[in-house]
Every structure is written in C-alpha cells, then in structure tokens.
Amino acid sequence: MSDLWFFLEAVPDPRSRRGRWYSLTSIPLVCAAAAVSGARTIDELAEWGARADTELPATLGVRRHLLRRRHAPSRSAIGRIIERLDTDAFDAAVGAWLAHRHSAAAPGRRRVIAVDGKALRGSARLDQPRRHLLSAVTHGCPVTLAQAEVGSKTNETRHFQPLLASLDLDGDVITFDALHSVEANATWLAETKKAHYVAVIKPNQPTAWAQLDGLDWHAVAIQHTASNRATNIAKTTRAIRDQPERALPILGITNKPDLNGT
C-alpha cells in the first residue's frame, strides 16, 4: 500500500492552506489500512487509528506533533475530508494505482477488461434512487481499474470513452454489452487506444446484425460452450476465423487480424 501515496498526491485538497496538520494523503491511507482491518464506519476508522501501533502513523505519513507524538486523525478530521473530497479525482487515483499494480503483477500479459454499469446497492435514499456506476473491471481476478457515477443507465454510453481515456489499453481486450456497441466507441478503441474488443450486436442494429447473420457460421468451429442451469439456455461462442475480412470491419476493427481473428 506504500505506493498508493504517489497516486493520491494527484487528488486536490479541498481545505484551505491555513490550519492543516494532516496531509491529504495520510488520512485516506489511514482509512484504507483501517478498512482492510475490518473498519466500516467513521467511528471505527478513527478508533482503529487511535489504537494503532505508534510506528504505523509514521509509515502512513502522519506528521509528528509539537510534543513529539503522532496522533492518528480524529473522527471529525476524517469526516470533514470524506465529506469534501473530490470523489471523481479520488476514484481516478485509486483506479490508476490498481491498474499499475495489476500490470506489474503480470508484465507483458494481455488484459481482458469488462465495461459495465451497475446500481450501487445500499445507496438509495427517500428522495433519490440508487446511484449508478460505470466501471472497468478486469476478468479473472477482478480489479476495478476505473469507475464513474453516470446518474442513470441511459447515460452510460456518453461516459464510455471518458472512463477508459486515462488507461493504457494497448493490446488489451475490452468487452462490453450492446448498449456500448456503437461505431464511435469501436473506432476509438481500435484506432486511438490500439485495443481489441468483443462487441455484442442485437437485432435493434439491423445493418450490423444482417451482415453478421449472413456469415457462414456453420463453418466456424465451436470454441467454447457454457450452460446456465437456471434458464437451461446454452450460450455458444464461435471465433470468427474463416471470414475475418468481412466480419471485423463491421465491428470497427480496421487493423489486420492475426491468426486468432483478433
């Protein structure tokens, strides 16, 4: 967690310069360490900091007091920062840190990243519905590389490119549902971000649907089959290998496909 400090430096401090004692980076680090230890509320975060070993505050960047002692931030100090923090900038900083650690853990390995939106459980209030987040999450071992609040599901499409803009996607594979399967996103991924992708095409996109439906799918070998017991629906995924010159431009991929059709 020590390298998180560098990424949190990019988060703007909402406080005035006068009267600061704790750095902006030290408070989120204390909260992160407390949360990993099981703390869930602001009271529990402050209590964990007060009971922490004397060397831990120094490790997390807490300044030494004039009386040569280090005190973890109080409940009020933590509450003020959480209330006023720029959440978008904080999300971006944490996402960049997670992306850095994920890339460092498997250097040279192609990542597969899913982009999807979900309503945040427990976020509903009497005067407002649940908050809706659009996230970029890695397949396999799930790591949230980026997320943004979009207001409602209908706003997801216009947040697709801004969500992924800060990520290095060169050579990665991006998966997304039919809501984001538009030409602008496909072209941007292939030409600007140099990424591959798997798009979902539905009948409400008649031109692309008709062109894909006209391919000789019976000649394509089945690569993977998954069965859902609850609905008893078999989902079959086939690799586009025999006619990539026709299929890939429909999805917006203009680069020359390799032997696997990507």
Side-chain angles (χ1 to χ4, degrees):
M1 191 182 293
S2 58
D3 54 345
L4 178 58
W5 180 288
F6 172 78
F7 295 92
L8 291 179
E9 289 285 351
V11 180
D13 196 329
R15 303 169 297 178
S16 63
R17 296 184 60 86
R18 185 176 182 180
R20 295 183 191 175
W21 183 259
Y22 300 102
S23 66
L24 183 66
T25 55
S26 65
I27 294 180
L29 286 175
V30 170
C31 293
V36 171
S37 302
R40 292 294 179 267
T41 65
I42 295 181
D43 289 328
E44 292 176 350
L45 296 175
E47 183 179 353
W48 181 91
R51 294 183 176 182
D53 186 88
T54 55
E55 297 181 359
L56 189 57
T59 305
L60 298 177
V62 177
R63 292 172 54 191
R64 190 186 297 273
H65 195 267
L66 296 176
L67 298 178
R68 314 302 294 173
R69 297 181 59 187
R70 286 187 174 88
H71 296 280
S74 64
R75 182 194 185 283
S76 58
I78 294 174
R80 286 194 298 267
I81 287 295
I82 292 178
E83 182 180 6
R84 301 171 58 189
L85 195 65
D86 185 336
T87 54
D88 289 334
F90 186 75
D91 270 344
V94 174
W97 173 66
L98 291 173
H100 169 74
R101 291 182 63 86
H102 191 269
S103 299
R109 184 178 179 181
R110 175 179 289 180
R111 296 182 300 181
V112 182
I113 303 171
V115 177
D116 196 14
K118 297 294 181 184
L120 190 61
R121 184 174 63 181
S123 61
R125 297 294 183 268
L126 292 176
D127 57 341
Q128 63 181 10
R130 290 188 295 175
R131 294 187 171 184
H132 199 85
L133 300 180
L134 182 66
S135 303
V137 182
T138 57
H139 287 241
C141 180
V143 175
T144 302
L145 303 180
Q147 68 178 9
E149 185 174 355
V150 298
S152 64
K153 186 175 180 62
T154 56
N155 292 332
E156 285 187 19
T157 302
R158 65 187 181 91
H159 287 274
F160 181 88
Q161 294 184 25
L163 177 76
L164 301 176
S166 62
L167 300 179
D168 181 8
L169 303 177
D170 191 359
D172 294 338
V173 178
I174 314 301
T175 66
F176 44 88
D177 58 23
L179 183 63
H180 304 294
S181 296
V182 296
E183 183 179 358
N185 290 341
T187 303
W188 180 75
L189 284 174
E191 298 181 0
T192 303
K193 304 299 288 185
K194 309 301 180 185
H196 306 278
Y197 60 87
V198 177
V200 177
I201 304 298
K202 291 185 176 181
N204 60 355
Q205 298 170 296
T207 301
W209 176 269
Q211 291 174 318
L212 288 173
D213 190 50
L215 298 176
D216 187 10
W217 292 103
H218 296 288
V220 181
I222 297 176
Q223 301 296 309
H224 174 73
T225 300
S227 179
N228 188 327
R229 295 182 179 180
T231 59
N232 199 24
I233 297 176
K235 298 181 180 179
T236 303
T237 304
R238 295 181 175 90
I240 303 175
R241 298 188 302 179
D242 59 333
Q243 301 183 39
E245 293 80 10
R246 287 185 57 194
L248 297 181
I250 297 173
L251 301 177
I253 301 178
T254 56
N255 56 310
K256 185 178 181 181
D258 55 25
L259 295 178
N260 295 322
T262 57

